[in-house]
Every structure is written in structure tokens, then in C-alpha cells.
Amino acid sequence: MPSSTLSETELCVYGLIAEGKPIKERDAATAERLAAAGLILRDAFQPSGYAAVDLDEIEGRLRKSVQQQLEGAARQLAEIPGFVSQLRSCRTDRPRGAGMSSLWIEGKEAVNAAIASAVDGARHELLTAQPGPRPRKVIDLSTDRDRSAVERGCAMRTLYSTSTRSNPGAIDRVNLLTALGAQFRTLTKPFMRLVLVDRQYAIIEDHADGRPSFDGAYLVRDRAACGYFAAAFDVDWQIGLDWHSAEPTQQPTITTPLQRTILRALCAGKDQQQIAKTLGYSAKTINLALSDLRTKLELGTVYQLVAWWMSPDAAAERANEQD
């Protein structure tokens, strides 16, 4: 059976034979190919030495061949569940999720590549939590990647810090992806960085060995852990403020959302390095935020700043954006 259309030469030779005309010696090889395909057969009484096969016969033979292939494919398709069931039977004595674990990914570029690969394979849901500032270049790269996932039908939810509302790159990203169906909320309280794909693959910063966030990240495949990450994300999502909602009415303050978050963390016993890691900022950014507030209040030390925060004079500040 021919697997494609005939070439111009083959059609020319076939036409001569079908019309009962002789063919040239150089066309003998072409005629043999036509005979092998079942389009002509040898006939010593014809000028060419061949006769064209009846077209109805050719059509019937081709249809039968294709039908047999389809039936074979259907049988193979029907056998797939049984084949997979056989494989599954070999694993029934293993705990759910056995063989899955965490993989350390070294370096920022490798982490970005792992995130891109995971998001490209996303089919159902993409959850991301992004505390701290992000450069415009990084935002644009992630926007192009995430837009493809949303356009494929993936549900997407993202948590940002409240301070992100003033980031022009983030504003453009939110407006673009929201129009496609993605959802965004902001939080004033600290939260962890997370990328969770289909609740099966999570990319998280290192909280086991204390490495800086820029050193790399863990790719977590454990289903139980990913389920926990999703549940924790949903808790934060419920208390987050929708990006497009009106800002809550607040009393005038002299502190920024970031400064209030830092002060709450200081009062909870965290030092500035710990706060920087938790919020996803550099230690320099945290120190600068505190320095600006000390200058505004004419205070000399962080201890004085914490004392002011806990005093009645800062009651209006503490009342704003409580989580």
C-alpha cells in the first residue's frame, strides 16, 4: 500500500500503462515500484508489459488495510489499563509516595530553569507566594512563562507582600494576568516563598541547612509535603487582601507597611537577619527601613524604636493593617 502520493514520474508511467501505451526502458524501475504497491500487474499482452489494477479493487484493499491498522491500534489502546495495572500491582506494598523526596538545586539559574520546567508542565493549578521585591526583568520573564500556563487553562493564584502594590512591574503583571483569569492577593504579615505546581511539585527555599536564598532551592516531590504547602497557602490566601479591592480605611500613619511588619517581628523576638530572610528582603533593606523611621522619630537606636512601637503613642500605628 502506498504511504504517500505518487511522484510526478510515477503518475506519468502509471498513466501510460492505464491507457495501454508502451513505456520506455528507463521507466522499468518505476513500473516495478508501482507493481510492488499493487497499482499495476504484469500482463504480457499489453504494450507496456503491465496492466492497471481496477480502481475499486485498489480502494477496497487500501480501506481494508487502514481498517486493520485502526483495529490494531484500538486493541493496543484497550490493553493500556491492564498493562498499567500490572505495573501498579508490583507497587501495592510500597507506601504512598515512596521513592519521592527532595532534590537540592544549586544556583539561581538552575532554580529558575527548574521553575520554568515545572510551570511548563502544569496542567491544573499554579500557586505562588512571592514575598519581597523582584526586579522588573525577573517579573517580565515569569509573566511570559505564567501567561502560557493560564492560557492553557491552569488556575493561578499568587500572594504578594503589601509593598508590592507600588511596584510598576508587578502592577503590569497583575493587570495582564488578571485579565486572563489569574488571581492576586497581598499580605502584610511575613510568609514564605513558594512555587507549587498541580500540588505535586513544590520549589521552596532552604530552611533545613540555613543556606541563603540565592544559593539555590529544594524541589519537593513528596505528595504529603505538597499537600501541606497547599493547605498553608490556602490559610494565607483567606486572610489576604484582593489586589483589586479598595484599600481598607486607615488612620494616617508615619510608618510604612514594611516598617510595621519589621517592628512586629522584632517584638516577636526575631533579629534583623531573620526578618530579612523571612520577608525575602536583603538585610540592607531592613536596616534602611528602620533607619528611616528612627530619623523620622528622632530616635537613636532600634531598642528605642521598639519601645516607641509598644508605647501608647504608637497605638494608631499598631492598629493599622493588623493581620
Side-chain angles (χ1 to χ4, degrees):
M1 166 184 137
S3 58
S4 62
T5 57
L6 298 178
S7 68
E8 185 176 343
T9 299
E10 289 169 335
L11 282 173
C12 181
V13 172
Y14 177 81
L16 292 173
I17 294 172
E19 293 176 4
K21 296 179 180 179
I23 59 174
K24 298 179 179 180
E25 185 176 346
R26 66 168 180 263
D27 294 328
T30 301
E32 285 300 312
R33 289 198 298 274
L34 294 174
L39 302 181
I40 60 175
L41 49 80
R42 292 185 177 278
D43 187 338
F45 295 101
Q46 299 297 325
S48 63
Y50 296 92
V53 176
D54 183 78
L55 293 178
D56 290 339
E57 180 183 339
I58 293 175
E59 182 178 3
R61 178 162 24 92
L62 293 177
R63 287 181 178 277
K64 182 178 180 180
S65 176
V66 172
Q67 182 65 35
Q68 289 174 341
Q69 292 181 38
L70 291 174
E71 290 173 354
R75 285 193 299 272
Q76 290 180 326
L77 187 63
E79 292 169 357
I80 290 176
F83 175 73
V84 174
S85 179
Q86 284 182 318
L87 297 178
R88 186 176 290 113
S89 67
C90 298
R91 303 171 57 169
T92 53
D93 59 338
R94 300 178 65 190
R96 188 176 186 181
M100 299 181 183
S101 60
S102 301
L103 173 67
W104 173 251
I105 304 172
E106 189 77 30
K108 184 181 296 185
E109 294 300 322
V111 171
N112 290 335
I115 293 174
S117 177
V119 173
D120 286 345
R123 295 183 297 170
H124 307 297
E125 181 184 56
L126 180 61
L127 305 179
T128 61
Q130 298 289 352
R134 304 176 76 201
R136 180 70 186 240
K137 181 179 179 181
V138 174
I139 291 175
D140 290 344
L141 286 174
S142 64
T143 298
D144 291 340
R145 178 193 67 210
D146 295 344
R147 177 172 58 187
S148 297
V150 175
E151 288 176 341
R152 290 197 307 272
C154 286
M156 177 180 172
R157 290 184 287 157
T158 299
L159 283 170
Y160 281 135
S161 297
T162 300
S163 57
T164 306
R165 288 176 176 272
S166 61
N167 185 323
I171 293 172
D172 291 343
R173 167 183 167 83
V174 170
N175 290 335
L176 172 64
L177 294 178
T178 298
L180 298 175
Q183 301 178 66
F184 296 85
R185 292 187 180 182
T186 58
L187 282 175
T188 58
K189 77 178 188 69
F191 58 96
M192 301 294 187
R193 192 180 306 276
L194 169 72
V195 176
L196 183 59
V197 178
D198 291 338
R199 306 198 177 207
Q200 295 182 355
Y201 303 93
I203 293 148
I204 59 173
E205 293 173 341
D206 176 32
H207 295 279
D209 299 316
R211 287 172 285 208
S213 59
F214 53 77
D215 273 7
Y218 277 106
L219 172 61
V220 181
R221 296 188 178 94
D222 184 80
R223 293 182 63 185
C226 289
Y228 179 86
F229 296 148
F233 179 93
D234 286 336
V235 170
D236 283 341
W237 183 261
Q238 292 303 317
I239 63 175
L241 177 67
D242 185 84
W243 183 283
H244 296 286
S245 297
E247 292 286 359
T249 302
Q250 301 173 350
Q251 302 179 38
T253 62
I254 61 175
T255 55
T256 66
L258 176 58
Q259 288 167 342
R260 290 191 287 274
T261 300
I262 296 171
L263 287 166
R264 292 188 186 112
L266 287 171
C267 290
K270 293 184 179 294
D271 61 34
Q272 294 172 44
Q273 290 287 345
Q274 292 172 322
I275 295 171
K277 183 175 181 180
T278 299
L279 296 181
Y281 288 90
S282 67
K284 180 179 179 181
T285 299
I286 301 300
N287 292 334
L288 182 60
L290 293 173
S291 178
D292 288 345
L293 186 56
R294 289 202 315 272
T295 300
K296 188 181 295 185
L297 295 171
E298 298 182 351
L299 298 174
T301 68
V302 172
Y303 300 106
Q304 291 175 318
L305 195 57
V306 171
W308 167 82
W309 174 257
M310 298 302 296
S311 72
D313 293 339
E317 305 291 328
R318 296 195 301 273
N320 274 276
E321 299 190 52
Q322 288 287 356
D323 303 316

